[in-house]
Each structure stands twice: as C-alpha cells, then as structure tokens.
Amino acid sequence: MPELAEVEFYRRRWAAGHGAKVLRVLAHERAKIFRGVAAAKLVRALTGATLLDSETAAKQMLFRFSGQNWLGVHLGMSGELRVEPPSYAPTKHDHLVLVQRERQLVFNDPRMFGAVLFHHGASEPEWWTRIAPAILSPAFTVAAVTDFLARRRRAPIKAVLLMQERFPGVGNWMADEILWRARLAPSRAAGSLDATETRALHRECRAVCRGALRYNAGVGGKLPAELNEFMPDSWLFNHRWEKGGHCPRCGTPLRHATIGGRTSCWCPRCQR
DNA sequence: CCAATTGTTATTTA
DNA sequence: ATAAATAACAATTG
C-alpha cells in the first residue's frame, strides 16, 4: 500500500514512542520480513533501548535507538505501523512489536512483502544512505529527469516513474497522479517527451509529492486520523478506483489498463 | 474457482 | 550485453 506520504503517515504514528524505552520486543522470528536479519539479534539489541527519533526517505523508514542501534522498515505492499495500548494482544500478522510502558508499536504485514532491517553502528547504515535523493530536494533537477528519460527512452513513461533510483517514493497511484497532472498518457515512450513535457513532468512530480505529504501525512498541518482522510476530490486519487469513475478535470470516463506491469488509470481526453 | 491488490527482485525475453 | 517484460513472492477480498 504505502508510497512516499503514506510512509510518512505511518512513521508519525510510531513517533508517539520517541523518547521512551522499549521494555520488550516481540518478533515472529521466522517471518519473511526479517530477510537476512537475525531477528534474535535485533530483539536483544532493542530490548531496553530508547527510541530516540526517526525519519523517512522514499518508501522507507529509519528508527534510531540508543546504543547505536538502527531499525529500518519497508512496508512493502500491505504493511502498516500502528500504535496500540499496553493491554493489546498481538495478532497473526503483527510480526514485530516494540512494547513501551505507555503503548505498543506494532508492525503488521499480511502479505509479508515488507522488510525489517537492523544495523548496529555509530552512523546511518549503508542501506539507508544509498537511497536516491528525494524528489523535493535540490538534486531533483530537470536535467536529471531529462537524462533519465533518455536512458529509458523505449520504456513506457509509467514504468519509468516507478523506478526508485530516480523517482524515490513514487508508487503506482502517485505515478498516475503525476501523469494526469502533466497531461501525459502512461503508455508514452519515455524518450518521446519534448522539453516542455519533460518540464511539466518534473514540476508535477514535485507538486504531487508536496500535496500528498500535506493531505496524507499532515505535513505543515494536522496528522489525519485515517489515511487519505484529507485527499481532495480534485485529485485523480479519489476517482481512480470507483466504478465508472470520471476525470475530475473534464468529466470524461477514466480508462484502466495494465501498463508497465501495473494497473494504470488515466483520462483519455486530458492525457496524450 | 478466478481475478485483483498502492512493491520489489529474480528470471526470461527481445 | 543491455534493457524491457514477466513471474514470483503471500495473503486476503470481492
């Protein structure tokens, strides 16, 4: 489920536990989310440690603990973070639970496409620092986008937007939202965009990231109680899954097809 | 029973 | 050899 802003939404939930000690750690040690991580080692290191702070980058989260311990979380397709009261009893898909005095921090993931990473050391782990520079950072330039589109010129633009090495944090619905705003059909070859279209794509990447963070993660405002609570009807998002949905800009019935291996939604009138 | 799912990676194909 | 397409991963829901 989670893309950029949704990941930030979930991180802010767990931020309730900043400054508090972890009394106990519950882990489904055999769950596949602990790929390449010795769950027992993680449990030992985090038990008794204090959760200091956290950050997000792209679709990933990093939680910093006392004692030079770092916990990475990737939510995959179906993962989510929750905060539960101390009396809560973990259920089947709660693969990792950090028990604090006032609350329990729960990582739940039914499909187990997510991942939990662990690092012990003085500085941020390599798997964190190698994440591509954010779309909202100065490094995300028109020139960088132009170069990338040229390199992937034969692939449909929809597939290219999903590539994390250049568009970190963009997932399926954000890619469709960006293309809808930039008025580009998802099936267009990346190399077919002219300079004006490339500038529009760059601009709308940033606009969708900013808007998604505001509406979905309450950045600059209040954290929504539920995901997508504040998503406006002027966005494609609120129409893309409804049966017989229409373009919120021109009213044309929306189209759906598999492009770049994912279900895509677009307006055949607005997007060319 | 069949299809679908907002992610990533390994494998196959072109 | 490189890039694009496809399969696979797992669980649940309609």
Side-chain angles (χ1 to χ4, degrees), chain A residues 75-148:
Chain A
L75 296 171
M77 195 99 100
S78 60
E80 66 167 9
L81 301 187
R82 299 197 317 271
V83 175
E84 299 288 355
S87 59
Y88 173 79
T91 61
K92 188 173 169 191
H93 301 301
D94 295 339
H95 303 299
L96 179 68
V97 180
L98 308 182
V99 181
Q100 298 181 322
R101 180 187 297 281
E102 310 276 341
R103 69 195 72 76
Q104 303 190 53
L105 307 177
V106 179
F107 170 58
N108 177 283
D109 184 7
R111 289 172 71 179
M112 292 199 283
F113 288 176
V116 167
L117 300 171
F118 176 71
H119 171 70
H120 179 81
S123 52
E124 295 186 337
E126 177 273 337
W127 45 256
W128 183 258
T129 53
R130 77 171 171 223
I131 296 171
I135 287 172
L136 292 177
S137 77
F140 186 78
T141 61
V142 174
V145 173
T146 303
D147 286 357
F148 194 74

Side-chain angles (χ1 to χ4, degrees), chain A residues 125-176:
Chain A
E126 177 273 337
W127 45 256
W128 183 258
T129 53
R130 77 171 171 223
I131 296 171
I135 287 172
L136 292 177
S137 77
F140 186 78
T141 61
V142 174
V145 173
T146 303
D147 286 357
F148 194 74
L149 297 191
R151 217 147 32 89
R152 306 294 185 155
R153 60 186 171 278
R154 308 184 67 112
I157 186 64
K158 169 63 186 282
V160 174
L161 280 175
L162 294 174
M163 295 177 182
Q164 299 299 296
E165 70 260 39
R166 179 46 69 197
F167 303 98
V170 172
N172 202 36
W173 78 255
M174 283 181 76
D176 284 353

Side-chain angles (χ1 to χ4, degrees), chain A residues 16-256:
Chain A
H18 285 174
K21 194 169 170 178
V22 175
L23 306 176
R24 212 150 43 91
V25 179
L26 313 174
H28 290 166
E29 302 208 10
R30 309 226 310 273
K32 301 206 167 181
I33 57 153
F34 296 105
R35 296 156 229 256
V37 173
K41 193 173 128 191
L42 177 156
V43 169
R44 229 177 303 125
L46 296 187
T47 301
T50 297
L51 173 56
L52 299 175
D53 51 36
S54 57
E55 58 185 315
T56 57
K59 297 174 187 172
Q60 307 197 55
M61 290 171 270
L62 183 65
F63 295 91
R64 187 168 67 96
F65 292 80
S66 61
Q68 303 192 340
N69 294 307
W70 309 79
L71 180 74
V73 177
H74 192 303
L75 296 171
M77 195 99 100
S78 60
E80 66 167 9
L81 301 187
R82 299 197 317 271
V83 175
E84 299 288 355
S87 59
Y88 173 79
T91 61
K92 188 173 169 191
H93 301 301
D94 295 339
H95 303 299
L96 179 68
V97 180
L98 308 182
V99 181
Q100 298 181 322
R101 180 187 297 281
E102 310 276 341
R103 69 195 72 76
Q104 303 190 53
L105 307 177
V106 179
F107 170 58
N108 177 283
D109 184 7
R111 289 172 71 179
M112 292 199 283
F113 288 176
V116 167
L117 300 171
F118 176 71
H119 171 70
H120 179 81
S123 52
E124 295 186 337
E126 177 273 337
W127 45 256
W128 183 258
T129 53
R130 77 171 171 223
I131 296 171
I135 287 172
L136 292 177
S137 77
F140 186 78
T141 61
V142 174
V145 173
T146 303
D147 286 357
F148 194 74
L149 297 191
R151 217 147 32 89
R152 306 294 185 155
R153 60 186 171 278
R154 308 184 67 112
I157 186 64
K158 169 63 186 282
V160 174
L161 280 175
L162 294 174
M163 295 177 182
Q164 299 299 296
E165 70 260 39
R166 179 46 69 197
F167 303 98
V170 172
N172 202 36
W173 78 255
M174 283 181 76
D176 284 353
E177 197 78 39
I178 290 163
L179 292 170
W180 176 75
R181 292 175 62 117
R183 298 177 180 255
L184 296 166
S187 56
R188 281 278 298 276
S192 74
L193 273 61
D194 65 25
T196 305
E197 291 171 326
T198 303
R199 274 198 305 277
L201 185 76
H202 171 266
R203 181 180 66 240
E204 301 308 344
C205 280
R206 297 174 61 93
V208 169
C209 286
R210 272 195 302 268
L213 285 167
R214 183 167 64 244
Y215 298 128
N216 256 334
V219 169
K222 173 169 160 247
L223 185 67
E226 295 297 331
L227 213 44
N228 309 322
E229 183 187 357
F230 299 145
M231 286 294 278
D233 285 341
S234 59
W235 280 40
L236 181 65
F237 186 92
N238 279 356
H239 309 273
R240 57 173 298 143
W241 293 284
E242 57 188 45
K243 206 165 59 154
H246 293 73
C247 172
R249 190 164 44 205
C250 75
T252 301
L254 294 169
R255 286 194 57 190
H256 297 84

